[in-house]
Amino acid sequence: MLQRIKQRSNEVISPKTYKLLCGVSGGMDSMVMLDLLQKSDYELGVAHVNYHLRAESSDLDAALVREYCQENQLPFYLMDAFYDPEKDGNLQLWARNIRFDFFRKIKKENNFRMIALAHHQGDQIETILMSVFKGYDFQLINEFNHEIYRPLLHSTKVEINEYAKLNDIKYREDLSNQSNIYDRNFVRNKLIPRLEERFDNFDNRLLGLAERTKKKQAVLGYLLDETFRKYKSKEKVNPNFTYEKIDKKIVDQSFGIEILYYNLQLYDFSFDQIQNLVSGNNQVKFEARNVLLCKDETHFLLGMQPGLENEPNFECKIQEADFLKHQFYYFHFRVTVGDLPDFEPDFVYLDFDKISFPITLRSSRAGDMIRPLGMDQGQKKLNKYFNEQGFNFFQKLHYYIMIDSEGRIIVPKKTIDNRLKIDENTKKCLRIGLIEDL
C-alpha cells in the first residue's frame, strides 16, 4: 500500500515540490493517510476541526491529533466550531462548509499546495449510490483537483484496516458513524454489505460502470459545453461583482433544458429546479452552493448569493478635490468651465456648483429615493426606477450609485437627481462616466 501511494504520488505530485495540508479527524482513515504521507517524505501540516458534538469524545479526538503532531514535529492547526440548530440548518452540510472553509484558509495563509483528504474506495461506492438515490447522474470523488488530493481513493477499507494493525496506528472510533439515522451511514452499514453478499465483485463492477459512464459524460459534456458557451456571457456590475448571463434562447434548441441542466448541476441545482426556472415567472429564485439562480426577461442569471460577495458593504467618500483628478476608483470625471460640452451616451452631466460635498459611493439600499432627471416634483423609490430601466436582480443589488450630502442621487450611465441638472446659469459642468466606456 505504501509503495503504491509513493509511486502514484511521484507520478503526479512530487514530495519535492508539494507541501500538503492534511485534514485529519483522528479516525482510522485519516490517521493512516497521515502516516503514509509522512513516510512518503512530504512536507506536511495538519488541520483538525473540533465540532464539540460528542462532548469529551470530540476533545479526545483533537488531543490525539495534537499529540501526534507534537511527537512528529508537524504544524498543527485547530478550529473549534459550535453548531446552532436554529441558525446553522443541516448539520452535515454545516460541518462540511465549516471544515472546507477552515482548510482553505489555512492552506492560503501558510502556502500549502494542496489539501490531502482520506476518502477511500468505500467512500467512492457510497457516493455513487447516494447520487443514484438522489436522482443525479453518477457522482464520483476525484483523486485530484486543483486543490484536493485523496491518496487513499484506490485503497479498500480492508487494506486500510490491515495497514493500521501492521503499523500500530493510533486512532479513535467515531461511534456516530454506526448510527443509521444519516442516509450515508445507512448505505455504508446496511445496504452495501447486503449488496456485496448478494452480488459477486459488486464494488469493482459498480466502480467500473461509474468510470465508463464518467468517460462518456466527459465526451457528452464537451459537446454540451460547446453549445452552452454560445449562450453564456459575463457582466460586471461593479469592480467587485460579476455574474453570468445565459440567453433564454438556449431552451429553444434541441435538448435545450437538458443542456442548461447539465451545466448548472455543477452547482447542485436539480433538474426539477431548472424546469421550474424555465417555466416560472421572473420572481423565481433558487439557491445552491453559495450561488443564486434567477432570470429576467431575456436571460437566466447566476451569481453569488447576497451577503457572500467580495465587498458586500463597500462605501467610500468622494471629496470635491477628487473630481478634479479626472479618475477615481473606476469612474472618470471631467469638469468643464464655460461652454457646455457635447453630450454623449453612457455619461451623465450635472451642474458642479449644485453638488453638496462629500459624495458617498455605494450600492443601493432599501428606502433609497430618487428624483430622476425630468421629474420636477416629488420622488420615487430607487428600486422602482431600476425596474423601469430593466435592471435585473443582480444589477439592482450591486449597481454603484453616488449620493451627495443632501441625499440627491446620481446613477452613473443612467440619470441624475433633477435638482442637479444643467440649466442656463450653469458655469461648471461635471461629466461622469465609467473608465471602461472611454
Side-chain angles (χ1 to χ4, degrees):
M1 188 176 175
L2 175 59
Q3 289 306 118
R4 184 176 70 228
I5 288 175
K6 276 189 173 183
Q7 180 180 350
R8 180 64 176 153
S9 297
N10 283 322
E11 289 174 359
V12 287
I13 55 169
S14 169
K16 296 179 181 178
T17 57
Y18 275 76
K19 181 181 175 184
L20 300 180
L21 175 67
C22 299
V24 178
S25 67
M28 179 193 293
D29 302 338
S30 61
M31 294 303 289
V32 164
M33 177 193 73
L34 184 55
D35 185 78
L36 282 164
L37 292 177
Q38 195 172 15
K39 290 175 180 175
S40 299
D41 300 323
Y42 283 101
E43 182 180 352
L44 302 176
V46 176
H48 175 85
V49 180
N50 185 348
Y51 302 105
H52 295 275
L53 294 171
R54 295 180 291 114
E56 185 183 2
S57 291
S58 293
D59 294 333
L60 291 174
D61 293 347
L64 172 69
V65 181
R66 179 188 290 107
E67 288 169 10
Y68 181 97
C69 292
Q70 289 173 345
E71 290 173 5
N72 292 275
Q73 298 182 327
L74 297 176
F76 175 64
Y77 308 94
L78 173 67
M79 178 182 184
D80 288 292
F82 300 89
Y83 175 66
D84 182 343
E86 294 184 3
K87 183 182 71 173
D88 297 322
N90 181 279
L91 171 61
Q92 290 182 309
L93 182 60
W94 167 81
R96 183 184 187 280
N97 289 338
I98 287 287
R99 182 167 63 250
F100 273 89
D101 287 347
F102 175 57
F103 291 169
R104 289 179 177 124
K105 177 176 180 289
I106 297 301
K107 171 180 174 285
K108 181 178 180 180
E109 290 178 352
N110 296 275
N111 298 314
F112 289 100
R113 287 286 297 274
M114 299 189 85
I115 300 167
L117 301 177
H119 297 95
H120 53 78
Q121 184 173 296
D123 295 311
Q124 184 76 286
I125 292 170
E126 293 168 19
T127 299
I128 295 168
L129 290 174
M130 288 294 294
S131 66
V132 172
F133 298 145
K134 290 180 179 179
Y136 299 156
D137 292 332
F138 279 153
Q139 304 290 315
L140 282 89
I141 304 172
N142 294 316
E143 183 181 8
F144 301 95
N145 64 23
H146 67 284
E147 65 175 355
I148 304 294
Y149 171 41
R150 297 180 173 91
L152 302 184
L153 195 60
H154 300 293
S155 301
T156 67
K157 188 66 174 180
V158 172
E159 290 176 316
I160 294 171
N161 270 312
E162 290 177 352
Y163 184 92
K165 290 178 182 177
L166 289 172
N167 293 273
D168 195 26
I169 302 296
K170 295 179 181 178
Y171 63 89
R172 288 191 39 83
E173 291 278 5
D174 183 351
L175 295 180
S176 67
N177 288 333
Q178 305 305 315
S179 171
N180 295 322
I181 190 172
Y182 299 115
D183 291 341
R184 185 175 280 271
N185 286 357
F186 172 79
V187 169
R188 177 191 307 129
N189 300 328
K190 293 291 186 181
L191 183 59
I192 291 178
R194 295 294 299 273
L195 291 170
E196 290 175 336
E197 181 182 311
R198 179 79 179 186
F199 301 101
D200 290 339
N201 203 24
F202 161 76
D203 50 358
N204 287 324
R205 288 181 177 182
L206 183 63
L207 289 168
L209 172 61
E211 285 293 340
R212 292 192 300 274
T213 303
K214 184 179 179 181
K215 290 177 182 178
K216 292 176 183 176
Q217 287 176 337
V219 175
L220 177 62
Y222 173 79
L223 298 174
L224 294 179
D225 190 54
E226 286 292 299
T227 302
F228 185 70
R229 217 176 295 169
K230 297 175 184 177
Y231 294 89
K232 184 179 73 171
S233 60
K234 290 186 177 182
E235 180 168 309
K236 181 183 287 188
V237 186
N238 66 54
N240 303 301
F241 187 85
T242 300
Y243 68 99
E244 291 188 359
K245 300 168 59 177
I246 306 157
D247 195 316
K248 283 184 177 179
K249 292 177 182 176
I250 191 172
V251 299
D252 298 329
Q253 307 303 307
S254 298
F255 304 104
I257 293 180
E258 287 75 11
I259 294 171
L260 192 61
Y261 164 67
Y262 184 87
N263 285 274
L264 295 179
Q265 70 170 334
L266 302 174
Y267 301 96
D268 289 341
F269 291 110
S270 69
F271 189 75
D272 286 343
Q273 287 176 319
I274 302 305
Q275 284 185 312
N276 291 335
L277 176 75
V278 172
S279 61
N281 61 35
N282 289 348
Q283 304 307 310
V284 173
K285 298 182 182 68
F286 297 103
E287 297 178 0
R289 202 186 286 184
N290 294 340
V291 297
L292 185 141
L293 179 64
C294 58
K295 66 179 181 178
D296 61 16
E297 293 297 328
T298 58
H299 291 84
F300 303 112
L301 313 170
L302 183 72
M304 193 72 75
Q305 284 184 31
L308 298 175
E309 57 273 11
N310 291 338
E311 204 169 350
N313 298 312
F314 173 81
E315 179 175 314
C316 72
K317 300 293 184 182
I318 309 177
Q319 305 295 336
E320 182 173 357
D322 293 321
F323 285 94
L324 304 178
K325 298 175 183 176
H326 302 300
Q327 186 171 319
F328 182 90
Y329 204 39
Y330 77 127
F331 295 99
H332 183 272
F333 304 129
R334 177 178 294 172
V335 178
T336 57
V337 180
D339 294 336
L340 297 180
D342 294 330
F343 285 60
E344 302 175 63
D346 292 328
F347 295 89
V348 293
Y349 297 82
L350 55 154
D351 190 318
F352 188 81
D353 294 322
K354 292 179 180 179
I355 301 171
S356 181
F357 293 97
I359 282 180
T360 300
L361 175 66
R362 61 167 172 82
S363 54
S364 64
R365 296 173 185 166
D368 282 341
M369 304 293 290
I370 187 172
R371 182 188 293 178
L373 194 62
M375 186 176 183
D376 293 327
Q377 298 293 327
Q379 290 181 306
K380 65 173 67 176
K381 289 183 177 180
L382 182 59
N383 190 63
K384 181 179 180 181
Y385 171 79
F386 283 162
N387 287 332
E388 293 169 350
Q389 295 297 310
F391 276 37
N392 63 45
F393 176 82
F394 293 118
Q395 290 170 329
K396 287 189 287 187
L397 204 61
H398 297 285
Y399 202 92
Y400 283 171
I401 60 173
M402 299 176 178
I403 309 173
D404 80 351
S405 61
E406 294 184 25
R408 296 172 296 188
I409 289 178
I410 302 164
V411 184
K413 297 185 70 169
K414 297 296 180 180
T415 193
I416 62 169
D417 188 291
N418 195 66
R419 290 162 290 187
L420 300 176
K421 69 181 180 181
I422 292 170
D423 56 31
E424 66 276 6
N425 298 315
T426 297
K427 295 182 174 61
K428 292 181 182 178
C429 173
L430 170 63
R431 187 188 78 171
I432 302 175
L434 303 187
I435 292 173
E436 62 189 42
D437 291 328
L438 292 176

